[in-house]
Amino acid sequence: MARRVDAHEGLDDVPVFPPSTGGLRGPEAGGGETVYSSLREFVTLLEERGRLRRITVPVSAELEITEITDRVSKGPQEQNVALLFENVTGYAMPVLTNAFGSAERMAWALGVSELDELGQRLQGLISLDMPGSFADKLRKAGDLFGTFRATQPHRVKHGACQEVVETTHPSLAELPVLKCWPADGGPYITLPAVITRRPGSGKRNVGMYRLQVFDETTLGMHWQIHKGGAEHQEAAREVGLERIPVAVAIGGDPAITWSASAPLPSDIDELLLAGWLRGRPVDLVPCVSQPLEVPADADIVIEGYVDPGERRIEGPFGDHTGYYSLADEYPVMHVTAITRRESPIYPATLVGRPPMEDYWMGKVTERLFLPLIRMVQSEVVDVNMPAEGVFHNLVIVSIKKRYPGQARKVMYGLWGMGLMMLSKAFLIVDADVDVHDLSEVAWRVSNNVDWRRDVVIVDGPVDALDHASDRPNYGGKIGVDATRKGPLDGHDRPWPDDIEMSAEIQALVTGRWAEYGF
Ligand SMILES: Cc1cc2nc3c(=O)[nH]c(=O)nc-3n(C[C@H](O)[C@H](O)[C@H](O)COP(=O)(O)O)c2cc1C
Ligand SMILES: [Mn+2]
């Protein structure tokens, strides 16, 4: 079974999620011990638990907040807290950073006490065998029904996100958008939920794509070619639409914010996932200037459209790879309205050399998607995408091997599964290897691999952020079969055992430890 993620923080000490504001309970809820009705509520919880610091002195939105956040997020554990900058020079709104920057805070944001709970609950939900009595089966069917109901977004008439509405002169200048790194092309909105609908079917997509502020009403739309928003834009171009409506929700329930970063198959609405995580549907209100709906509890909503024929240079941007992503042509969003709460909080994330906050956002994806990977590739035991690998650069997978070529089958299968297609390196190890222990992985791989026999090199799509490939979005990838080899693999030499002391001697030495003078 999957092992626990090393949380680096005393997750065991974390109390079970307390104050409940309603919502479904029980196995049908994903996280769902509570539902935040605002980002402010999450901030309050972080503060009550001693994991938020308010900074009251004036600070600049240009670079200063980055440097503070970077130090805090890489600093000692007790210093790694969420930061609420209450006095950002030139702006009325407070800025929240590093709110998801640890396993603990990321789990709290999704209403669980540790990240592995989410995968376990999903595993429970999708387990196809339904043992037990007829009554058990009925209950399970009821759970599924409850889940279905909880996941469907729900239209409401009024939303806090429209307490203040500006349609005549909307201006991005009122938002404390951060300039993150010195060579950045400008200020960037970094934690948005970008909402579009596929022209024709109307299916919704919610993606987290950074937005460069060009001027008061124009944004760079950094949806990369592989992503849902770009797919919708392409569909609009195909049918000759001149504008594709876009809404950008900032803040609100952190479960919704996180869901925007989840790599769901295209045409599956990320708000369904958010509803499941919350155990309660996401409330939506109609936009004021576009034919879209937005989460009612968002702090700020930017409405507008993208013209599928228009492109403009976006970037550079100090990115989560730890390098600047280079300037390139991207679509442009024109703002038609800005709505907001009366007293919004502006949340932002800073990315840069890992580990930073986005590592923890990615960890949730890794934990949550493991049961889904296992549905299709049942030999997979566990997966680790280490911080240094920045999601797609290095993926370690442990498998239970039964037949020749199985490690290769797993790589090829994963290279064809959603955004796993972007993986640059797979290390496949045996089931008994702890994929989260990088020292063990390095030891096993370097011992067990014959570099001529056990390596496959293929070409395929790579991340838009990859700067090593000869051309954008396409490059070479490696898969390494680091499992132990035997007759199955046509390996006729004996394979050595691991070295382990006998249990008797271990017990003897433990018993006599003090006697040795230690
Ligand atoms: C903090 C953060 C920033 C991100 N910025 C971008 C971005 O600018 N462009 C992009 O295409 N993906 C970005 N991503 C990754 C996407 O959010 C992710 O691939 C997600 O699956 C996109 O949604 P989609 O699958 O519906 O397209 C970012 C992720 C995080 C956590
Ligand atoms: Mn999507």
Side-chain angles (χ1 to χ4, degrees), residues 204-207 209 227-229 260 262-270:
R204 181 170 28 237
N205 188 69
V206 188
Y209 318 118
K227 309 298 173 79
L264 297 188
S266 62
D267 284 349
I268 298 187
D269 182 357
E270 279 78 7

Side-chain angles (χ1 to χ4, degrees), residues 302-332:
I302 305 167
E303 302 181 10
Y305 64 89
V306 165
D307 167 356
E310 184 183 8
R311 294 190 154 244
R312 184 166 163 178
I313 290 292
E314 192 266 13
F317 175 71
D319 223 315
H320 76 135
T321 53
Y323 292 85
Y324 282 98
S325 52
L326 303 174
D328 199 358
E329 286 199 329
Y330 270 88
V332 179

Side-chain angles (χ1 to χ4, degrees), residues 53-120:
R53 157 131 347 159
R54 288 174 190 268
I55 286 114
T56 51
V57 295
V59 291
S60 170
E62 201 162 310
L63 308 183
E64 191 178 0
I65 289 182
T66 309
E67 180 63 14
I68 301 167
T69 307
D70 193 33
R71 288 191 195 187
V72 165
S73 68
K74 294 191 173 84
Q77 226 179 75
E78 53 307 339
Q79 230 183 63
N80 178 9
V81 293
L83 301 172
L84 189 67
F85 297 93
E86 296 185 316
N87 189 350
V88 183
T89 307
Y91 300 97
M93 294 176 204
V95 173
L96 176 70
T97 67
N98 207 28
F100 299 143
S102 73
E104 183 187 59
R105 294 200 296 284
M106 190 68 250
W108 292 346
L110 302 179
V112 290
S113 49
E114 58 174 288
L115 296 182
D116 270 331
E117 263 178 57
L118 295 168
Q120 286 156 11

